[in-house]
Amino acid sequence: QVQLVESGGGLVQAGGSLRLSCAASGRTFGTYAMAWFRQAPGKEREFVAAVTGNSGSTYYSDSVKGRFTISRDNAKSMMYLQMNSLKPEDTAVYYCAASRTVVGRNRSDYPYWGQGTQVTVAS
């Protein structure tokens, strides 16, 4: 089992950047596929990006492709989301998630979740 803690959220102006971090417990971090999801008020939680255990492959939603970059450091048990060119519609609570079995785009693919970090983009 893995425990996840997000950090790095905050308030930023449109066009600005933020870097989110996800710290994972345990010594088997590299065996987990990791992902970022987000949930805006009144909306469903949606997929943002995912990365395989060895960082060999990354996946992005169309809405963030070219602006966000997912990465991980297995030695530090950390995952990151670099967010550039932020837009007001990126405002949401951002969650990191982990899976031992799949790297998917569905919420149900991930049994382990952090508590979330708020990102607010002002126009």
Side-chain angles (χ1 to χ4, degrees):
Q1 193 166 356
V2 64
Q3 294 182 323
L4 306 172
V5 178
E6 304 93 336
S7 62
L11 174 65
V12 63
Q13 294 294 316
S17 298
L18 278 177
R19 188 195 195 203
L20 304 184
S21 298
C22 175
S25 65
R27 292 174 289 181
T28 60
F29 177 71
T31 65
Y32 288 85
M34 299 294 296
W36 289 98
F37 284 74
R38 67 186 182 186
Q39 188 165 16
K43 294 188 177 181
E44 295 291 318
R45 194 171 298 187
E46 66 172 0
F47 171 80
V48 174
V51 60
T52 54
N54 61 1
S55 299
S57 297
T58 56
Y59 307 88
Y60 297 93
S61 68
D62 288 343
S63 62
V64 308
K65 194 175 299 181
R67 300 188 297 123
F68 292 10
T69 302
I70 189 171
S71 62
R72 63 190 297 164
D73 184 337
N74 288 345
K76 296 181 178 179
S77 297
M78 295 290 295
M79 179 179 65
Y80 307 99
L81 185 68
Q82 178 66 44
M83 305 186 295
N84 298 330
S85 303
L86 282 161
K87 305 175 181 180
E89 51 263 44
D90 294 318
T91 295
V93 177
Y94 283 71
Y95 298 89
C96 66
S99 172
R100 289 290 298 272
T101 56
V102 297
V103 52
R105 295 173 179 259
N106 299 312
R107 183 176 178 176
S108 59
D109 292 331
Y110 297 89
Y112 306 108
W113 292 85
Q115 293 300 306
T117 185
Q118 176 71 47
V119 172
T120 303
V121 184
S123 57

